[in-house]
Amino acid sequence: MKATILFTTLILLTAGCKQKPSDQPSGSIAGNEGKIVIYQVFTRLFGNTNSTNKPWGTIEENGVGKFNDFTDTSLQSIRNLGVTHIWYTGVPHHAVIRDYSTVGISADDPDVVKGRAGSPYAVKDYYNVNPDLAVDPAKRLDEFKALIERTHKNGLKLIIDIVPNHVARHYVSLSKPDSVRDFGADDDISKEYHRENNFYYLPNDSFRVPVAVGYKPLGGASHPLSDGKFHEQPAKWTGNGSRLAQPKQDDWYETVKINYGIRPDGSKDFDTLPATYANLGIDDHHQFWKNKSVPSSWKKFRDIALYWLNMGVDGFRFDMAEMVPVEFWSYLNSSIKTSYPEALLLAEVYNPGLYRPYIQLGKMDYLYDKVEFYDTLKHIIQGHGSADNLAAIQKGMADIEHHMLHFLENHDEQRIASPAFAGNPEKAKPAMVVSALISTSPTLVYFGQELGEPGAETGGFGQPTRTSIFDYVGVPHHQRWMNKGKFDGGQSSKQEKKLRSFYQELLQFTISQPVLKGNYAAIQYHNRQHTSGYHDKLFAFSRWDMDTKLIVLSNFSNQPYQGKLVIPADLVQKWALKDGTYSMNQVLFGKNQMSHTVSKGEGSINVQVPAYESLVLKLEK
């Protein structure tokens, strides 16, 4: 079919950008001229070929993926999708139910473990990896080191999680260096708070397991430790900040909160950064902390981060970073960047009021753009709200847009194809184009997203719509693409292959086009005010630099749009276009040609764009 029929995103560009942006992404791959694309894999699920999916099933029943499942073939499949970095989720050794006593690992109590497989965010040993992920649990760290080497050999970088706000209720490290003391080992447990304590305590009370309503650990299966009790004397504060000796069922009761020198009244028991440090660099931050006394927990997490970077990890995704004081991030990230300047530092921060402090004072490379950009896109995909809001959000982010990671899925969010989100992954295609092309920031894709995975399995703990992070499950759409280790889509449906091709073409474009590090301008407002028939389910913007010009038009509607797209006079002037007709070659999703007319200083393109599709063109000089 013709390009004007098939696609909803319009891009005008000319060849060969050489401009180098002033704010380069950290962790960029040598030779990569475009943006960063991070592919999140839930490590224990990725290589699992078992399709049983019994609720609360064991490894023997439901299977589990291993580090070794990330073969050269699978890694090349990921790289060819248009990926620069892999986020291996769930690598640090977290609390698990499975018995690993033969390799010296202490048992974990199901009463304080969520799911059969355990939460990846209840870390039990920061100096080793999840034994479930190893063929030989006794050599699990060696198997992960081999994965690091294999990942790099295949032209990819990797990040793992660090969870600084909390650790597993039963934290004990078997693998820590001799110089390292465990969290809490030197705490004064007679006090609720002491600056050098790693935890907060309730000195006169013992921990009690939450009262469960409609829930039984392991789905009610018997286990020698599953008795509704867990010994912890005195009780500690729970990970989400609950100060109850018996947390509530919806608290993060499987974890305990780390003390960073924040007193129980909320005041800070450490030096604070002057506001002027928002404008200063890594060296200044590092010097600031060099002779300062900092709490014990700060030093422990610094040592943990440097341990993994020294092993070859290329960066971190920091869980719930906003629950940890920004001064700690200045301390940690300046320590990291001083030794490993290319390390990629990505943080989960949801409060927009904290974005700038955590970027400027905390020295984060990237933050989740969840509460504003993702939430708005989801609302639009679901058929609600106006695409006009995207322009307002991007305008408000103008000073920090490079630092705001864009995504449509991750392990915390509902799958696009789930009935609770869109029910159909095709509906998210225009959102994916906008998300990937609107800014200089990285793009995150969650494994299976590119295949329309709906997250329909009932793993045990939690409900469908999100692929389980607590239990052993298989991921059907991904398994069909995996095709027993061939990673060739041999069992995938035509629809799954077509969707993956869309993602591949788009993502490869984003990592290869320098123009996407260039300028941005909204043309949404002008078209909404002056173009007849242009409605609020359409969204248009421009990207350009000295050599390359882009226009993006996306249709979020379930109805086609036929009409004009106007390029405002101020943008035509910036592009130095004279009155006349210009040829445009489609560079994504087809090879058609269109015309762009400039008359009296204003540009105009006649477009015909169907529901949920994309058009991409190149403007020749």
Side-chain angles (χ1 to χ4, degrees):
M1 296 183 186
K2 292 183 179 180
T4 50
I5 301 275
L6 285 176
F7 307 100
T8 28
T9 300
L10 172 68
I11 300 179
L12 313 175
L13 58 127
T14 60
C17 170
K18 301 297 182 183
Q19 180 177 344
K20 185 176 181 180
S22 59
D23 192 1
Q24 288 281 5
S26 294
S28 59
I29 290 178
N32 171 40
E33 294 184 346
K35 302 205 302 176
I36 287 174
V37 172
I38 301 171
Y39 190 72
Q40 182 190 3
V41 295
F42 204 84
T43 313
R44 88 159 77 98
L45 305 184
F46 181 85
N48 185 19
T49 59
N50 188 312
S51 59
T52 303
N53 282 338
K54 174 185 174 182
W56 296 100
T58 63
I59 285 179
E60 290 75 15
E61 293 168 321
N62 284 358
V64 69
K66 305 289 186 180
F67 292 132
N68 286 0
D69 293 322
F70 292 91
T71 61
D72 291 332
T73 300
S74 67
L75 291 168
Q76 281 301 309
S77 174
I78 292 171
R79 187 185 183 196
N80 291 338
L81 184 61
V83 171
T84 61
H85 292 66
I86 300 180
W87 166 13
Y88 290 115
T89 307
V91 165
H93 180 186
H94 60 78
V96 298
I97 299 300
R98 188 172 174 80
D99 183 2
Y100 287 107
S101 57
T102 57
V103 293
I105 297 173
S106 58
D108 290 303
D109 190 329
D111 292 302
V112 288
V113 175
K114 289 181 177 176
R116 168 72 68 174
S119 167
Y121 297 105
V123 176
K124 176 176 178 173
D125 183 351
Y126 259 117
Y127 288 94
N128 215 315
V129 297
N130 180 0
D132 280 350
L133 303 179
V135 174
D136 182 353
K139 298 179 179 178
R140 58 196 182 278
L141 198 57
D142 290 333
E143 291 187 28
F144 180 63
K145 290 177 181 178
L147 175 59
I148 294 174
E149 182 178 350
R150 207 157 53 246
T151 302
H152 289 158
K153 183 182 73 173
N154 282 282
L156 293 160
K157 292 190 175 184
L158 69 145
I159 64 173
I160 63 171
D161 290 280
I162 284 185
V163 189
N165 179 66
H166 47 273
V167 295
R169 202 112 221 163
H170 176 49
Y171 184 94
V172 55
S173 176
L174 295 177
S175 311
K176 65 185 185 300
D178 292 341
S179 60
V180 171
R181 298 280 290 168
D182 261 349
F183 286 101
D186 301 313
D187 284 6
D188 182 349
I189 62 175
S190 69
K191 297 179 180 179
E192 179 182 25
Y193 167 84
H194 186 283
R195 196 183 88 139
E196 299 308 311
N197 280 358
N198 299 134
F199 304 126
Y200 298 92
Y201 295 91
L202 301 171
N204 299 317
D205 214 340
S206 299
F207 173 80
R208 298 184 295 283
V209 173
V211 175
V213 179
Y215 168 76
K216 295 181 180 179
L218 307 183
S222 63
H223 187 281
L225 296 178
S226 185
D227 57 3
K229 300 176 183 178
F230 178 76
H231 178 73
E232 183 181 283
Q233 175 64 42
K236 303 181 182 77
W237 288 16
T238 294
N240 62 326
S242 171
R243 306 183 188 189
L244 300 174
Q246 185 175 36
K248 297 179 181 178
Q249 189 175 357
D250 59 354
D251 285 327
W252 303 348
Y253 62 83
E254 78 279 21
T255 67
V256 290
K257 186 168 179 63
I258 297 290
N259 166 27
Y260 281 89
I262 300 291
R263 301 182 184 94
D265 65 4
S267 61
K268 296 178 178 180
D269 200 359
F270 46 79
D271 290 284
T272 57
L273 275 170
T276 54
Y277 273 73
N279 300 315
L280 298 180
I282 290 296
D283 290 342
D284 294 297
H285 281 249
H286 188 61
Q287 286 299 318
F288 178 85
W289 296 110
K290 201 167 186 179
N291 298 314
K292 300 287 192 301
S293 173
V294 299
S296 166
S297 297
W298 292 30
K299 292 178 278 190
K300 279 183 162 55
F301 272 102
R302 176 203 60 196
D303 293 345
I304 288 165
L306 295 177
Y307 168 83
W308 290 107
L309 289 165
N310 185 59
M311 192 179 293
V313 168
D314 299 299
F316 305 107
R317 178 266 191 187
F318 295 123
D319 184 77
M320 293 309 297
E322 68 186 78
M323 298 182 74
V324 178
V326 71
E327 288 86 356
F328 164 74
W329 293 117
S330 167
Y331 168 83
L332 177 66
N333 291 341
S334 63
S335 296
I336 289 172
K337 292 284 191 177
T338 298
S339 299
Y340 300 91
E342 293 300 311
L344 187 150
L345 306 177
L346 165 64
E348 182 184 29
V349 173
Y350 291 138
N351 182 354
L354 296 177
Y355 288 169
R356 286 163 184 82
Y358 276 69
I359 293 166
Q360 296 163 358
L361 288 173
K363 295 303 172 188
M364 293 295 182
D365 289 326
Y366 308 113
L367 308 180
Y368 279 31
D369 200 345
K370 195 273 185 197
V371 171
E372 294 188 325
F373 203 75
Y374 164 84
D375 285 349
T376 301
L377 277 174
K378 182 175 181 179
H379 202 52
I380 296 168
I381 293 167
Q382 292 175 321
H384 313 297
S386 170
D388 295 347
N389 295 324
L390 297 171
I393 291 170
Q394 199 64 15
K395 182 178 180 180
M397 294 286 183
D399 60 321
I400 58 170
E401 59 83 26
H402 171 70
H403 300 279
M404 303 309 297
L405 176 85
H406 284 179
F407 60 88
L408 295 183
E409 285 190 359
N410 63 47
H411 68 280
D412 285 320
E413 306 300 340
Q414 293 173 320
R415 290 285 195 174
I416 294 165
S418 69
F421 191 152
N424 179 356
E426 299 291 320
K427 292 182 178 181
K429 288 169 69 175
M432 190 63 212
V433 172
V434 172
S435 180
L437 301 182
I438 196 171
S439 73
T440 69
S441 65
T443 301
L444 172 73
V445 175
Y446 190 33
F447 87 112
Q449 175 184 341
E450 74 279 16
L451 297 163
E453 172 59 40
E457 293 68 45
T458 302
F461 188 91
Q463 299 298 318
T465 75
R466 296 169 178 83
T467 297
S468 175
I469 67 169
F470 302 106
D471 291 282
Y472 303 111
V473 298
V475 183
H477 286 55
H478 169 70
Q479 288 175 326
R480 290 195 285 274
W481 175 262
M482 185 164 52
N483 192 22
K484 298 181 179 180
K486 295 179 182 178
F487 290 89
D488 60 1
Q491 299 178 36
S492 299
S493 69
K494 289 182 179 179
Q495 291 82 0
E496 291 163 8
K497 290 179 181 178
K498 185 178 178 181
L499 184 67
R500 191 181 190 278
S501 293
F502 161 81
Y503 274 89
Q504 183 174 34
E505 194 167 357
L506 175 63
L507 296 177
Q508 285 186 347
F509 183 80
T510 68
I511 68 172
S512 64
Q513 295 297 317
V515 66
L516 297 178
K517 296 177 180 177
N519 302 298
Y520 161 88
I523 59 174
Q524 178 75 358
Y525 302 123
H526 186 92
N527 279 277
R528 289 282 284 127
Q529 293 170 4
H530 301 293
T531 305
S532 177
Y534 187 95
H535 53 75
D536 72 347
K537 301 305 180 189
L538 299 169
F539 184 67
F541 58 92
S542 63
R543 300 298 308 278
W544 84 96
D545 59 23
M546 290 177 60
D547 301 313
T548 305
K549 314 293 185 270
L550 297 132
I551 297 289
V552 179
L553 169 66
S554 288
N555 180 12
F556 290 88
S557 172
N558 61 2
Q559 298 297 317
Y561 170 72
Q562 182 174 351
K564 285 185 177 182
L565 179 70
V566 174
I567 313 303
D570 61 340
L571 189 57
V572 169
Q573 186 177 8
K574 289 176 181 177
W575 290 355
L577 297 180
K578 298 178 180 180
D579 284 6
T581 301
Y582 298 81
S583 295
M584 297 183 298
N585 292 321
Q586 188 176 334
V587 294
L588 282 180
F589 317 132
K591 298 297 180 183
N592 296 293
Q593 190 175 78
M594 294 176 63
S595 295
H596 168 219
T597 302
V598 177
S599 177
K600 296 181 181 179
E602 185 173 85
S604 178
I605 309 164
N606 291 320
V607 294
Q608 200 174 20
V609 290
Y612 310 132
E613 289 291 350
S614 300
L615 171 69
V616 180
L617 301 173
K618 175 180 178 180
L619 177 66
E620 300 293 347
K621 287 184 178 179

